[in-house]
Amino acid sequence: HPSVNMISILSLPLPELSKKLRDGSLPLEHVFYTYVGKALQIATETNCITEYLQESETQLRKMKLTGKLGLLYGVPVSIKDSIDCQGHDSTLGFIKNLNKPAAEDSVVVQVLRRQGAIPFVKTNVPQSLISYDCKNLIFGQTFNPLLYTRSPGGSSGGEGALVGGGGSILGFGTDVGGSLRFPAAFCGICALKPTGNRLSKKGMISGVPGQKAVVAAVGPMAKDVESLALCMRALLCEDMFNLDSTVPPLPFNEEVYSSTQPLRIGYYETDFFTMPSPAMRRAVRETKQLLEDAGHMLVPFELMNVDYMLFNFCVRGMFADGATSFLKAFKGELEKSSMGLFFWLAKSPNWLKTVLSWIAKPFVPRFSDIMRNMRANTVDEVWSLHHEIEEFCHQFIAQWKKLNLDVMLCPMLGPALSIGYPRKLSVAVSYTMLYNALDFPAGVVPVTTVTDEDEEELKGYQGYFRDWWDRTLAKAFRGSMGLPVAVQCVALPWQEELCLRFMKEVETL
């Protein structure tokens, strides 16, 4: 409609947009159709949308009649493919899941609707979700809105591309190893992975159902931190606690979020497993400096045993059944050659995995560790694994408390890798996966972009293991001038508000 100023609507940050919608200074349908138009454009460019939720138009008409004003009244929101929306498929990129519409909305979607938000599209994911790229046989490859030769990240890659491209003002994804944080970092936006049970996961389809060693979470993605905070305010309400009684009834703590007390912040530049790209290291250094200048106290934190955590907790935890459930999900699907070696490994008997792991140890120690940890475990072994993860978590918290920290500043993998590289570089999830194993809230904030100097310095990148993975990662980082690089902001379990407060501080500085 000629009277609708689309540009000015799209330029409004979420808190301002929702205020204008609630006070009636912006008509609901102007905002809705502006975002539908923009989403269509971004979908054409990046292939990020899997489905348009037609009922959003009915919801829009009804809302004008009821006039019940929730915190997100009239805000169009996008939803990841794996989050149930009534009457729509949650495919996870598997053909067998087509034409199996969800019987009801997931709890998060129900609460969003009650808060007046309008879910209007579902977005693309990689097949099985166990990947940080974004491609499957049904919907194809999603591209990064900032540079089409790059991956948007995954598994919430469609969300990253749509929100990053400006086609959605608030998106929802899930994260079991970085699946919210990769797309946010790769597409230059913010995201929050809460503690696993702070928001309801009822009605979310998991890549490896029943797996408890590495904790999954559902969370929001948006252009700025204030939008994430508004979203958490809206979701942490009586409706959510009533619809899912397993979620602790902790409403949003305004006092913590709006506090201006100086923080005691731990930080590290590397996990000594995945060598950071020059831009990643610089992002942490510059952010540390700005925080110190603003009066916060920064304390070096020494990370221990990240390789042990990754192989023994994450690989072994996710595939404790010898990858049986993972393989079952692919049964009858057209297996993609990209997963060839992985499938072959997963299908091998335990004794073969052990022998191969032993042979490979002197030549490719990391590959050897992956093979060894993909064998089927006995119940006894799984229990002792869970016990070990608990112990690791308590030790980590003890180290945190000893330094008397409030929050932690950590590197985030970046810049965005070229398409096709994430599947070759599963080991590079070390920075994000740590906080799924620990089940700490972790958010991502873009802080800088890749410079010529970073590119120059990258020429000397060798990695810590100097193996095939390290050489491949160096290639994947190349030619990234101007692409965004983020940092991770981490807090202790259930401290989402403090995590957001720290993210806000980083964003402001």
Side-chain angles (χ1 to χ4, degrees), residues 313 316 378-389:
F313 298 170
R316 191 171 148 211
T378 61
V379 175
D380 171 43
E381 287 170 328
V382 174
W383 284 350
S384 81
L385 169 73
H386 289 174
H387 176 67
E388 215 183 320
I389 293 173

Side-chain angles (χ1 to χ4, degrees), residues 40-47 143 145 148:
L40 184 62
Q41 179 211 325
I42 299 300
T44 310
E45 293 170 8
T46 65
N47 187 32
F143 304 95
Y148 301 154

Side-chain angles (χ1 to χ4, degrees), residues 213-224:
V214 186
V215 186
V218 56
M221 301 168 87
K223 278 270 166 73
D224 55 68

Side-chain angles (χ1 to χ4, degrees), residues 233-507:
R233 258 182 222 117
L235 288 175
L236 296 170
C237 62
E238 281 309 308
D239 281 332
M240 166 141 343
F241 310 139
N242 290 334
L243 288 164
D244 184 350
S245 302
T246 68
V247 171
L250 294 169
F252 191 83
N253 189 329
E254 242 13 282
E255 201 184 328
V256 172
Y257 178 63
S258 55
S259 157
T260 53
Q261 288 290 316
L263 295 166
R264 219 178 131 83
I265 304 165
Y267 75 96
Y268 53 89
E269 287 181 12
T270 177
D271 62 5
F272 297 106
F273 180 82
T274 304
M275 186 179 276
S277 65
M280 280 167 75
R281 206 182 278 267
R282 184 172 57 75
V284 173
R285 277 186 194 161
E286 288 178 4
T287 308
K288 167 194 177 271
Q289 193 55 55
L290 289 167
L291 287 161
E292 279 181 331
D293 296 347
H296 300 285
M297 182 75 191
L298 275 98
V299 186
F301 189 93
E302 189 75 34
L303 268 194
M304 320 275 206
N305 302 346
V306 168
D307 52 346
Y308 188 84
M309 178 279 306
L310 197 67
F311 297 129
N312 290 277
F313 298 170
C314 299
V315 176
R316 191 171 148 211
M318 298 269 290
F319 305 112
D321 57 356
T324 310
S325 343
F326 183 76
L327 288 169
K328 201 160 74 187
F330 282 87
K331 205 168 168 53
E333 296 289 315
L334 293 168
E335 284 177 11
K336 292 303 282 169
S337 54
S338 67
M339 302 284 265
L341 179 64
F342 184 80
F343 280 118
W344 181 82
L345 249 183
K347 288 173 179 165
S348 310
N350 268 7
W351 66 266
L352 186 58
K353 289 177 190 165
T354 309
V355 170
L356 287 172
S357 154
W358 183 75
I359 296 170
K361 189 87 189 155
F363 312 105
V364 272
R366 289 202 281 185
F367 186 60
S368 159
D369 281 328
I370 288 179
M371 278 192 284
R372 195 183 70 245
N373 286 297
M374 274 184 68
R375 39 177 211 88
N377 288 256
T378 61
V379 175
D380 171 43
E381 287 170 328
V382 174
W383 284 350
S384 81
L385 169 73
H386 289 174
H387 176 67
E388 215 183 320
I389 293 173
E390 272 170 35
E391 288 298 301
F392 174 74
C393 183
H394 291 311
Q395 281 163 10
F396 197 96
I397 293 172
Q399 188 184 347
W400 181 299
K401 298 268 192 199
K402 195 174 159 195
L403 296 171
N404 197 15
L405 303 178
D406 296 308
V407 287
M408 187 112 81
L409 171 69
C410 319
M412 175 63 212
L413 191 79
L417 307 184
S418 299
I419 284 172
Y421 274 101
R423 64 178 161 80
K424 301 175 187 169
L425 290 163
S426 51
V427 291
V429 299
S430 58
Y431 288 102
T432 45
M433 205 146 188
L434 171 64
Y435 296 109
N436 293 92
L438 288 166
D439 196 18
F440 286 15
V444 153
V445 183
V447 293
T448 185
T449 54
V450 179
T451 63
D452 283 331
E453 293 81 66
D454 294 330
E455 282 290 325
E456 193 49 46
E457 216 183 306
L458 189 61
K459 290 178 180 166
Y461 183 96
Q462 289 187 304
Y464 294 118
F465 295 83
R466 301 191 175 190
D467 55 10
W468 179 82
W469 275 307
D470 280 341
R471 289 192 294 276
T472 308
L473 188 55
K475 273 189 215 145
F477 283 141
R478 265 181 224 141
S480 305
M481 268 293 298
L483 285 179
V485 179
V487 291
Q488 251 188 127
C489 301
V490 177
L492 290 173
W494 311 108
Q495 309 259 341
E496 281 68 22
E497 295 86 345
L498 184 56
C499 185
L500 285 163
R501 193 231 132 160
F502 177 35
M503 289 166 72
K504 179 88 188 131
E505 196 81 18
V506 168
E507 177 185 66

Side-chain angles (χ1 to χ4, degrees), residues 33-51:
Y33 287 109
T34 292
Y35 270 101
V36 168
K38 184 66 179 174
L40 184 62
Q41 179 211 325
I42 299 300
T44 310
E45 293 170 8
T46 65
N47 187 32
C48 58
I49 292 175
T50 58
E51 204 168 353

